[in-house]
Amino acid sequence: MKINENYANLEQSYLFSTIAKKVNEYTAQNPDKKVIKLGIGDVTLPLCKAVTEALHKAVDEMGVQATFRGYGPEQGYDFLRKAVQEYYTKRNVELELDEIFISDGAKSDLGNILDLFSKDNTVLVPDPVYPVYVDTNVMAGRKVVYVDANGENEFLPLPDKNVQADIIYICSPNNPTGAAYNKEQLQTWVDYAKSMNAIILFDAAYECFVSDENLPRSIFEIEGAKDCAIEFCSLSKTAGFTGTRCGYTVVPKALGVLNKMWVRRQTTKFNGVPYIVQRGAEAVFSEEGQKEIIENINYYKENAKVISDTLKSCGIWHVGGKHSPYIWLKCPNDMDSWTFFDYLLENAQVVGTPGAGFGKNGDGYFRLTSFGSKENTAEAMKRFKKLFG
Ligand code: PLP
């Protein structure tokens, strides 16, 4: 037996364990202080009523002989694929049903898709970004190169024609920066990918937070994207499915063999998302479901606005928040990410996520999220204002 030596090349991630350790130590020493956590990347509002009703109904169906279901189609039930298809139609993106694959969330498929690509591909990843893109490729032994996101390009880097890449990751709206590309910028990426004969892996996990109708929520709103892109999306942040698990991946047939390869990969290694969960997911796309989830998303967006307005009034540079649950700020007084983390915990009892945990360009920056309660967000911002206002 020989192990996959590539695992030794993974950078250890101490980010969330270090945060937890520091917070635990602080609360043990300061039991009377109320610590507010704005670091979490998980939703806090419960599933909406349309979803829980659909889940209950599906559970009952499973307990009755006539409506019981065993193995389902690996690519997802048609009722859900059709709901996703109609969702795209609303954005003027026409997809065929067999271009839509129901998944148990974006993370799994972002990793699984790499089965389709040779080890001998160069992977282009923005820095900073969601760490899964880098780690899944390091595990497979692929070469990773970076495109710098920074204050100068407002954390929306564009391609450098002199850099050769085969697999390109784009996450918009972005985790951790919250920055969202416009159509022209994405067109530049699509044109670049086509000129390189490369594929774009587009992560749209936060598309539902886009507030401006003119900003793209799908890469397929961009001309030519079906020839060069695969899209990953998720109901995790859209509808509070982080624990329920459902998402979808779009592999256009215009990509040729890749659509068929993905069918083969999924039918070989995946047995589908539970029927019950898919019925809950279907309800997200119903009229009632859409109304209810938008209320939840607006709740988070209001928190984001409170954070962004406070930072603005304190003169703290930041991006994100408008089209995203994430606000990405420059640490005041040129502090590095971890110094600012300690300073904020000590002086305001507010916890965020040090930007350094998302790549070298993240150092000196800090991520706050709008997934907390309205009350906690307001209280945390009051403390910010006192400290920096
Ligand atoms: N993509 C991005 C950019 C994320 O931030 C996350 C989760 O935080 C995911 C994908 C994973 O989503 P899922 O819960 O659908 O696996």
Side-chain angles (χ1 to χ4, degrees), residues 162-237:
N162 299 315
V163 174
Q164 175 68 43
D166 307 303
I167 299 173
I168 301 160
Y169 284 85
I170 302 178
C171 177
S172 179
N174 187 276
N175 179 13
T177 69
Y181 282 111
N182 65 28
K183 283 192 179 154
E184 293 69 38
Q185 290 165 325
L186 281 188
Q187 188 71 61
T188 311
W189 276 109
V190 166
D191 295 344
Y192 165 77
K194 287 175 88 163
S195 75
M196 293 274 158
N197 206 14
I199 186 118
I200 292 175
L201 302 181
F202 188 80
D203 187 342
Y206 296 94
E207 58 86 18
C208 65
F209 283 87
V210 171
S211 298
D212 182 344
E213 272 306 302
N214 296 316
L215 287 184
R217 292 166 71 144
S218 160
I219 187 79
F220 300 123
E221 290 176 52
I222 308 303
E223 207 184 311
K226 278 190 186 167
D227 303 328
C228 67
I230 295 174
E231 179 158 292
F232 303 85
C233 201
S234 165
L235 298 183
S236 283
K237 311 296 156 84

Side-chain angles (χ1 to χ4, degrees), residues 6 16 20 34 75 89 110 115 144 148 163 190 194 196 211 236 273 279 315 336 349 355:
N6 295 320
F16 290 101
K34 187 190 168 204
Q75 302 92 324
T89 303
L110 281 161
D115 274 11
V144 178
D148 286 329
V163 174
V190 166
K194 287 175 88 163
M196 293 274 158
S211 298
S236 283
V273 176
R279 281 295 185 197
D336 67 57
Q349 294 77 50

Side-chain angles (χ1 to χ4, degrees), residues 95-293:
L95 299 176
E96 289 177 46
L97 270 200
D98 49 4
E99 295 179 308
I100 300 166
F101 297 82
I102 304 306
S103 71
D104 63 353
K107 193 190 219 179
S108 320
D109 274 6
L110 281 161
N112 295 337
I113 200 77
L114 296 175
D115 274 11
L116 310 193
F117 303 106
S118 152
K119 180 179 161 294
D120 301 323
N121 280 303
T122 299
V123 180
L124 182 65
V125 181
D127 175 348
V129 88
Y130 183 53
V132 167
Y133 312 153
V134 173
D135 289 352
T136 48
N137 280 292
V138 170
M139 285 172 181
R142 278 189 204 91
K143 182 180 167 201
V144 178
V145 296
Y146 295 91
V147 53
D148 286 329
N150 49 42
E152 269 163 53
N153 54 35
E154 305 227 321
F155 288 91
L156 290 169
L158 290 172
D160 175 349
K161 290 193 176 65
N162 299 315
V163 174
Q164 175 68 43
D166 307 303
I167 299 173
I168 301 160
Y169 284 85
I170 302 178
C171 177
S172 179
N174 187 276
N175 179 13
T177 69
Y181 282 111
N182 65 28
K183 283 192 179 154
E184 293 69 38
Q185 290 165 325
L186 281 188
Q187 188 71 61
T188 311
W189 276 109
V190 166
D191 295 344
Y192 165 77
K194 287 175 88 163
S195 75
M196 293 274 158
N197 206 14
I199 186 118
I200 292 175
L201 302 181
F202 188 80
D203 187 342
Y206 296 94
E207 58 86 18
C208 65
F209 283 87
V210 171
S211 298
D212 182 344
E213 272 306 302
N214 296 316
L215 287 184
R217 292 166 71 144
S218 160
I219 187 79
F220 300 123
E221 290 176 52
I222 308 303
E223 207 184 311
K226 278 190 186 167
D227 303 328
C228 67
I230 295 174
E231 179 158 292
F232 303 85
C233 201
S234 165
L235 298 183
S236 283
K237 311 296 156 84
T238 304
F241 269 57
T242 50
T244 308
R245 310 301 308 146
C246 196
Y248 45 93
T249 298
V250 178
V251 187
K253 287 203 223 161
L255 295 175
V257 71
L258 288 178
N259 177 282
K260 281 208 164 57
M261 282 172 73
W262 183 242
V263 173
R264 187 61 205 256
R265 191 268 169 214
Q266 290 299 79
T267 49
T268 304
K269 292 196 184 179
F270 185 53
N271 251 340
V273 176
Y275 171 72
I276 297 164
V277 171
Q278 291 194 57
R279 281 295 185 197
E282 180 191 24
V284 170
F285 297 99
S286 68
E287 203 176 309
E288 204 49 40
Q290 286 290 301
K291 233 168 52 199
E292 290 169 359
I293 62 155

